Amino acid sequence: MRTIAITNQKGGVGKTTTAINLGASLAVFGKKVLIIDMDPQGNATSGLGIEKDICVYHALIGKRTLKSLITPTEMENLFIVPSNISLIGAEVELSHKKNKERILKELIRDIKDFDYILIDCPPSLGFLTINALVAANSVLVPVQCEYFAMEGLAQLLHTINLVKKTFNPSLRIEGILLTMHDKRNNLSKQVEMELKRHFPKYIFKTLIPRNVRLSEAPSFGKSAITYDIKCPGSKSYLSLAKEVLRYA
């Protein structure tokens, strides 16, 4: 079982879109996938058409097991542990708990029957994201193709290295994923070139394009893969899944 944290402290870069559609794409290839929604906004949860009062927050505070919260989606092989706004209180409630950075890792130990766990992180480097990084085998970093793309990336990589040294020595970078790419736009090309120059080992070959169908799908409670598998966004995420599988 591989656990991948999908994170970037910058908002609006495509973390949740990636969690949903990479998960759905891996499921298309026959892998059993669990998405853990660790964002209090709960967008991965609503984006898959799920609405739950009991969520990952109740597992973090010890009232439920993580396994008991696993919820099927409309797609075979794709499951989710939901989130909602109550998760925002977890950091305060658990601030004095011993080994609080390892809570999610301990909860995941009880889950055995999945090929992949994808953790959708909030846009911050706080308690919830640190828990995800400690629990994960690797980190996937979506980066939007825009002017400020590299802003904060160095800080994120520094945090990943700190977690690696302190809590999780086996943590590695799965890759940096360029999202919202527009091949007609010179800025997208410049950002792509800069990232490849600074991080040549980490950039995925797959580029995620700006795509209307990709943006529409969550409003129907679906992944783009189930909403329109032939759209450019779906094809890109299927390509990304092949890259992830290839380097397993």
Side-chain angles (χ1 to χ4, degrees):
M1 185 172 71
R2 287 175 66 195
T3 302
I4 303 173
I6 300 173
T7 186
N8 189 329
Q9 76 270 32
K10 203 170 183 310
V13 298
K15 290 186 296 293
T16 300
T17 299
T18 297
I20 290 172
N21 291 295
L22 175 57
S25 297
L26 290 167
V28 165
F29 292 122
K31 301 299 180 183
K32 192 174 180 184
V33 182
L34 175 65
I35 297 172
I36 300 177
D37 190 349
M38 285 288 281
D39 187 344
Q41 295 178 84
N43 289 337
T45 302
S46 60
L48 284 169
I50 306 297
E51 190 175 327
K52 292 277 180 145
D53 292 328
I54 306 298
C55 72
V56 68
Y57 162 77
H58 298 90
L60 292 173
I61 64 171
K63 290 192 174 179
R64 296 286 293 266
T65 65
L66 199 66
K67 196 171 184 179
S68 72
L69 299 173
I70 294 173
T71 305
T73 70
E74 68 169 14
M75 191 173 190
E76 187 180 1
N77 286 333
L78 184 62
F79 299 78
I80 188 166
V81 172
S83 174
N84 61 37
I85 196 66
S86 62
L87 184 57
I88 207 163
E91 184 166 5
V92 175
E93 291 184 47
L94 297 168
S95 61
H96 302 298
K97 187 176 174 71
K98 189 177 179 182
N99 293 324
K100 63 181 182 293
E101 299 87 359
R102 302 179 189 271
I103 296 172
L104 184 60
K105 182 173 184 173
E106 293 303 315
L107 290 169
I108 285 175
R109 286 186 194 277
D110 293 332
I111 297 172
K112 307 291 184 188
D113 53 347
F114 287 89
D115 299 301
Y116 286 87
I117 295 177
L118 305 180
I119 308 174
D120 185 27
C121 298
S124 72
L125 295 176
F127 165 79
L128 298 172
T129 297
I130 297 299
N131 258 266
L133 294 176
V134 173
N137 305 121
S138 61
V139 188
L140 191 157
V141 184
V143 176
Q144 186 178 355
C145 290
E146 56 151 37
Y147 183 72
F148 294 112
M150 294 178 69
E151 187 180 88
L153 196 53
Q155 183 188 354
L156 173 58
L157 295 176
H158 177 65
T159 301
I160 290 168
N161 283 327
L162 282 177
V163 170
K164 187 171 181 173
K165 288 177 184 176
T166 312
F167 302 110
N168 187 359
S170 61
L171 184 65
R172 64 181 181 84
I173 296 174
E174 187 79 25
I176 295 172
L177 176 67
L178 278 73
T179 63
M180 303 176 206
H181 186 273
D182 185 346
K183 61 184 178 183
R184 301 165 300 179
N185 187 325
N186 285 333
L187 180 58
S188 283
K189 293 175 186 175
Q190 288 168 10
V191 169
E192 181 184 349
M193 287 171 61
E194 280 295 295
L195 286 167
K196 284 180 176 177
R197 185 164 67 86
H198 283 87
F199 308 103
K201 295 189 296 182
Y202 298 133
I203 307 297
F204 282 109
K205 292 178 182 176
T206 301
L207 304 173
I208 307 300
R210 287 192 179 275
N211 179 234
V212 173
R213 306 294 273 175
L214 201 56
S215 303
E216 286 177 348
S219 65
F220 292 91
K222 296 176 181 286
S223 69
I225 310 301
T226 50
Y227 183 61
D228 183 358
I229 199 167
K230 294 181 179 179
C231 76
S234 293
K235 289 178 179 177
S236 294
Y237 276 109
L238 289 164
S239 173
L240 175 64
K242 288 178 183 176
E243 283 196 68
V244 170
L245 289 167
R246 191 178 304 131
Y247 298 114

